[in-house]
Amino acid sequence: MATAISAVAQYGERNIIRIATDNTDLVLEVGPNKRVYQTYLGPRLSHESDLQNLSWSQHAGSDGSVSTRGWEAYSTSGNEDFFEPALGVTHADGNMTTYLYYVDSSQEPVPGGTYTRIILKDNRYPVNVTLNYVAYAKENVIKAWTEVVHQEKTLISLFQYASAMLYFSKAEYWLTEFSSDWAKEAHMSSQQLQFGKKVIDTKLGSRAAMHTHPFFEIGLDGSVKEHSGEVLMGTLGWTGNFRFTFEVDNVGNLRVIPGINPYASQYELKAGEVFTTPEFIFTLSYDGTSQGSRNLHDWARRYGLKDGEGSRLTLLNNWENTAFDFNQDILAELMKEAKHLGVDMFLLDDGWFGNKYPRKDDHAGLGDWEVTHDKLPGGVAALVKSAEDSGVKFGIWIEPEMVNPQSELYERHPDWVIEQPNRDTYYYRNQLVLDLSNPKVQDYVFGVVDNILTENPGVAYFKWDCNSPITNIYSPYAKDKQGQLYVDHVRGIYNVLKRIKDKYPDVPMMLCSGGGARCDYEALKYFTEFWCSDNTDPVERIYIQWGFSQFFPAKAMAAHVTSWNKNTSVKFRTDVAAMCKLGFDIGLQELSDDELAYCQQAIANWKRLQPAIMDGDQYRLVSPYETNHAAVEYVDKSKTMAVLFAYDLAPRFQEKLHAVKLQGLDPDKRYLVKEINLMPGTESKFAQNEKIYTGDYLMKIGLDVFTYLHNMSKIIELKAL
Ligand code: GLA
């Protein structure tokens, strides 16, 4: 067993804590006053002896003098800093100040990295704060979180509780944020941060990331760029209200404070109870976001995502095809279609449950997870059997955290629902959110999955949806502790998900929230993938997938071919979905024979190219935000297989077309370049088709893949000879 040693290394009088990946140093120091300061965050220093040249106290002197105000590693309210703190505590006696002093630390190896713990303590109040960091050496990713515990006589109240705090001293800071809405997810926009605060937060509770996603980028030497420049890319593992605060202070330094949004959430902590913040996961890239994304993709596959290194199931879903309008025979036919198409699984969506209040539209039935008998007389068992007979797996949709007022569940347990007792109720999608802070409700929600799997062990997959934000915030269970609800509700969800993962570790699950309103690395410990958006118009999807790919590997991002934007070809729609975890949600009768043959071939190609697309390195080469085209490349880890996805969106008349220079290939390998995913009966018009080039040529000169046509795609496979 690995033993922990003190994290502090002594250099003369200096007490330094180095948190390092292969590329990045985060250096902290225990000052002479025993407080802990950040002295450095940036490219890894080559010479350890330089660590003692870093100063903890020089950063703030606005008049040229050396100030005693340093960058406190976890700044607290009431201290001499005067800017936004990470922690705010109201102590039992009403005092609202906290000063933290170094007590102890440890450092030990953990899989893939080094775990550093730093224990701090207030010198006047029995409050302990532990700063935790795991630095993943190879992936250049650090995750940080904090624990607060106290031994005061009565409750203390936390009014700020960030996961971590980071500081930068640069000439400019450029923030890229990811705003969102239904069918408009991961929309990227940038702005320069000036003096004062910029806050990105959400107060939606359950469908928490509907309007903004829990990740951001900061360009540290000018605006964020894809292939050059220093950039911080950070994301919070929290499936509820989050808040990122970016504050530029009086001397032009930036502090970044990620955490749970403490909005309406003063958290009352009992003596001995540990408050653990979510993990803040970040990477610093010195070669733009492209490298930063690859860092995060590698980290996610190895350490973040459920079954991150495993394979994924292609599927046929029925939501866009049938909506609520199906029966057992129709589903049995669709399962045969799934097999014919060549996918691994049929996924039954919404509308299969409820008897007293059948789920025939979105007004009733949520909460009553029993098959609608007159619609599906053979139950789930018959569906699993039909799937088996057709030679595909069977997956099923659930939305277990929600309830329609028109349901037996609501009739039985109105007190299980988040709802105001003394005000009019307002509904989002005609439904309400169950109170997951209540352990009885947790048992019930666990039971939704457990009952299905106990009765039908053949069920191979779940799509877990969450369509409503928390409305009418009030928990009958929390009584006079309403300030805990937003936080404890999310923790309740994790309790359920943990139980499911413990009992059914091998069942893959898709996280969905009215599209992509849940997309964070804490949830993804329990989910193999997430649904990026209900918007499957391929043109829109190119942007949406471009956005999410900044933080998530392709295998975590589900994308389906549907009939959204029928003005585009089936080939174009498929070629866009094939950049992610490929699925279909379209009736085969909508496809001509050629289109069907095309899809079958595209699925087979996608499966063959998984080492590149799912498990390789991604290079975003041509941005749809900056050009009238887009190009994304995937290279497998051995650089023997690569695939280039190239799209013409809306080129201008005779605009200049540039060759696309590839990246990540072996310059000395020879690659056979071949257009794949061609419609049957069509010839490739790609001039460089079936020719051989060195990696060097492909990376320096590139391929002429773009055209003047609108909404066209070209998929180029590169095979090392
Ligand atoms: C949400 C999901 C869709 C579908 C419907 C079913 O909107 O995002 O994919 O499952 O719910 O009601």
Side-chain angles (χ1 to χ4, degrees):
M1 225 186 76
T3 48
I5 52 163
S6 168
V8 173
Q10 263 172 339
Y11 296 87
E13 301 286 288
R14 313 284 297 272
N15 294 299
I16 290 169
I17 300 170
R18 184 181 204 181
I19 295 160
T21 70
D22 287 353
N23 306 85
T24 296
D25 264 322
L26 169 60
V27 184
L28 307 179
E29 180 161 346
V30 185
N33 58 1
K34 296 282 180 237
R35 309 259 291 273
V36 177
Y37 298 92
Q38 179 192 313
T39 56
Y40 179 75
L41 174 55
R44 188 181 166 119
L45 300 173
S46 306
H47 304 288
E48 207 176 51
S49 56
D50 279 333
L51 296 179
Q52 60 194 309
N53 294 326
L54 299 165
S55 171
W56 63 268
S57 62
Q58 70 188 2
H59 300 283
S62 54
D63 59 356
S65 66
V66 174
S67 163
T68 52
R69 192 187 104 192
W71 284 349
E72 195 158 16
Y74 196 70
S75 183
T76 48
S77 72
N79 71 9
E80 60 286 86
D81 175 87
F82 297 118
F83 288 88
E84 192 68 18
L87 180 71
V89 178
T90 306
H91 297 283
D93 65 1
N95 189 309
M96 295 176 79
T97 68
T98 300
Y99 280 49
L100 296 175
Y101 295 84
Y102 177 84
V103 177
D104 198 4
S105 66
S106 63
Q107 215 158 43
E108 64 188 299
V110 291
T114 305
Y115 176 25
T116 304
R117 301 184 80 213
I118 304 166
I119 300 170
L120 311 170
K121 191 172 186 311
D122 193 301
N123 61 345
R124 295 280 184 267
Y125 292 89
V127 173
N128 273 46
V129 171
T130 304
L131 308 182
N132 301 276
Y133 304 86
V134 177
Y136 295 88
K138 269 177 64 190
E139 296 78 14
N140 187 25
V141 166
I142 298 177
K143 70 175 184 185
W145 72 101
T146 298
E147 295 157 280
V148 183
V149 65
H150 74 96
Q151 297 298 341
E152 297 197 19
K153 289 203 175 62
T154 53
L155 297 171
I156 66 169
S157 171
L158 308 181
F159 60 90
Q160 301 249 57
Y161 31 86
S163 293
M165 195 150 178
L166 302 175
Y167 301 83
F168 298 89
S169 177
K170 298 282 182 181
E172 293 175 16
Y173 314 98
W174 287 81
L175 171 71
T176 296
E177 60 182 316
F178 296 78
S179 63
S180 180
D181 207 335
W182 178 78
K184 252 185 81 179
E185 287 85 347
H187 180 90
M188 297 168 70
S189 60
S190 299
Q191 59 187 272
Q192 187 172 7
L193 297 173
Q194 304 285 2
F195 173 80
K197 273 189 279 191
K198 158 80 185 175
V199 171
I200 299 173
D201 72 351
T202 164
K203 305 180 180 75
L204 291 152
S206 45
R207 187 173 166 170
M210 179 158 60
H211 297 142
T212 183
H213 297 304
F215 37 85
F216 64 85
E217 299 168 349
I218 296 190
L220 294 165
D221 50 9
S223 60
V224 172
K225 288 179 283 300
E226 188 69 40
H227 300 296
S228 66
E230 188 168 338
V231 59
L232 169 73
M233 300 171 71
T235 178
L236 191 77
W238 185 246
T239 319
N241 296 345
F242 59 84
R243 183 174 77 176
F244 298 124
T245 305
F246 308 93
E247 186 172 33
V248 179
D249 68 13
N250 57 325
V251 291
N253 292 331
L254 170 71
R255 66 186 59 196
V256 176
I257 315 174
I260 295 176
N261 188 356
Y263 161 78
S265 299
Q266 289 223 359
Y267 202 94
E268 299 203 333
L269 201 62
K270 295 197 252 334
E273 188 188 348
V274 181
F275 184 94
T276 305
T277 74
E279 293 170 351
F280 175 60
I281 299 139
F282 69 95
T283 185
L284 269 176
S285 164
Y286 312 101
D287 301 301
T289 46
S290 187
Q291 181 59 52
S293 298
R294 286 191 293 281
N295 297 345
L296 290 163
H297 297 172
D298 281 342
W299 173 84
R301 283 184 293 240
R302 290 186 193 128
Y303 310 109
L305 192 59
K306 180 174 178 188
D307 196 21
E309 297 189 291
S311 60
R312 295 291 182 270
L313 297 166
T314 54
L315 59 83
L316 177 68
N317 190 195
N318 69 313
W319 174 246
E320 293 293 335
N321 181 9
T322 67
F324 297 95
D325 191 12
F326 55 81
N327 60 34
Q328 200 163 300
D329 294 339
I330 292 173
L331 296 182
E333 278 310 305
L334 292 180
M335 293 177 201
K336 287 185 196 145
E337 290 192 0
K339 181 65 184 172
H340 189 46
L341 194 57
V343 295
D344 305 309
M345 179 170 58
F346 173 73
L347 170 62
L348 171 59
D349 214 284
D350 195 356
W352 58 268
F353 49 87
N355 283 300
K356 184 169 174 191
Y357 301 103
R359 180 78 171 167
K360 53 184 181 342
D361 55 34
D362 64 14
H363 285 79
L366 277 182
D368 300 345
W369 299 101
E370 276 177 7
V371 157
T372 310
H373 299 308
D374 51 7
K375 197 169 182 179
L376 301 168
V380 174
L383 300 173
V384 173
K385 171 83 173 49
S386 295
E388 262 169 31
D389 291 347
S390 301
V392 290
K393 293 182 190 251
F394 177 74
I396 197 162
W397 179 97
I398 51 174
E399 192 178 4
E401 299 156 73
M402 302 284 158
V403 63
N404 284 125
Q406 277 192 57
S407 67
E408 293 182 66
L409 181 71
Y410 188 81
E411 286 175 350
R412 276 200 311 274
H413 298 290
D415 57 323
W416 281 10
V417 177
I418 295 178
E419 193 175 10
Q420 296 273 352
N422 52 357
R423 296 181 196 280
D424 292 344
T425 302
Y426 65 102
Y427 300 93
Y428 193 99
R429 210 194 191 206
N430 318 303
Q431 63 197 58
L432 294 168
V433 180
L434 291 175
D435 179 5
L436 268 296
S437 72
N438 181 342
K440 282 204 183 116
V441 180
Q442 294 173 23
D443 288 344
Y444 160 80
V445 175
F446 170 73
V448 174
V449 172
D450 194 34
N451 292 341
I452 292 174
L453 284 175
T454 309
E455 287 163 23
N456 303 282
V459 170
Y461 184 89
F462 286 89
K463 174 178 175 184
W464 177 305
D465 211 337
C466 164
N467 277 297
S468 178
I470 293 180
T471 54
N472 320 282
I473 181 90
Y474 180 86
S475 156
Y477 175 79
K479 300 197 178 72
D480 64 343
K481 300 267 182 307
Q482 297 297 320
Q484 329 257 120
L485 181 55
Y486 278 123
V487 174
D488 286 348
H489 177 76
V490 178
R491 289 180 174 163
I493 296 169
Y494 295 147
N495 287 345
V496 173
L497 292 172
K498 190 166 181 318
R499 283 169 70 184
I500 293 171
K501 190 174 170 183
D502 286 349
K503 189 157 176 193
Y504 304 104
D506 300 325
V507 177
M509 301 208 291
M510 182 205 286
L511 179 60
C512 175
S513 184
R518 278 180 163 179
C519 46
D520 71 88
Y521 275 116
E522 189 62 27
L524 288 172
K525 288 179 180 169
Y526 308 102
F527 291 89
T528 44
E529 60 230 47
F530 70 95
W531 180 232
C532 301
S533 179
D534 283 348
N535 191 336
T536 42
D537 171 339
V539 177
E540 295 299 324
R541 266 288 178 145
I542 285 177
Y543 291 86
I544 291 168
Q545 293 170 190
W546 186 272
F548 280 122
S549 78
Q550 311 281 317
F551 286 85
F552 302 101
K555 74 174 1 169
M557 294 165 50
H560 297 172
V561 179
T562 74
S563 11
W564 281 54
N565 197 351
K566 275 191 177 167
N567 296 327
T568 62
S569 66
V570 168
K571 169 175 163 55
F572 185 65
R573 285 179 252 161
T574 307
D575 288 352
V576 172
M579 278 199 289
C580 296
K581 205 223 81 168
L582 180 62
F584 287 75
D585 192 351
I586 193 166
L588 294 203
Q589 73 285 352
E590 281 189 48
L591 305 178
S592 69
D593 289 350
D594 278 352
E595 285 169 337
L596 176 60
Y598 166 81
C599 291
Q600 289 165 329
Q601 178 211 100
I603 293 164
N605 283 339
W606 185 88
K607 288 186 176 176
R608 188 168 47 77
L609 294 166
Q610 282 200 51
I613 302 170
M614 296 283 98
D615 295 312
D617 292 325
Q618 185 198 53
Y619 297 86
R620 291 181 299 263
L621 300 178
V622 178
S623 169
Y625 281 93
E626 291 163 11
T627 70
N628 299 322
H629 308 266
V632 178
E633 177 199 6
Y634 298 86
V635 186
D636 83 317
K637 292 286 180 187
S638 66
K639 299 180 191 288
T640 55
M641 168 199 281
V643 53
L644 174 65
F645 293 84
Y647 309 97
D648 301 307
L649 297 172
R652 302 290 304 276
F653 176 70
Q654 292 219 333
E655 68 169 42
K656 185 147 174 47
L657 299 177
H658 300 278
V660 174
K661 290 180 191 166
L662 285 91
Q663 293 188 18
L665 302 174
D666 180 338
D668 299 322
K669 279 198 167 92
R670 295 162 69 238
Y671 292 91
L672 174 66
V673 168
K674 187 173 175 197
E675 180 171 8
I676 58 168
N677 284 18
L678 289 164
M679 280 297 287
T682 58
E683 300 267 303
S684 173
K685 296 201 182 80
F686 173 45
Q688 289 153 298
N689 200 27
E690 306 222 30
K691 296 195 176 138
I692 294 167
Y693 299 88
T694 64
D696 184 61
Y697 179 99
L698 292 165
M699 293 193 288
K700 288 180 178 157
I701 297 169
L703 295 172
D704 293 306
V705 283
F706 292 139
T707 74
Y708 294 115
L709 299 170
H710 285 210
N711 299 336
M712 294 297 281
S713 53
K714 213 181 249 121
I715 312 299
I716 310 292
E717 181 178 354
L718 296 101
K719 202 155 63 181
L721 298 173

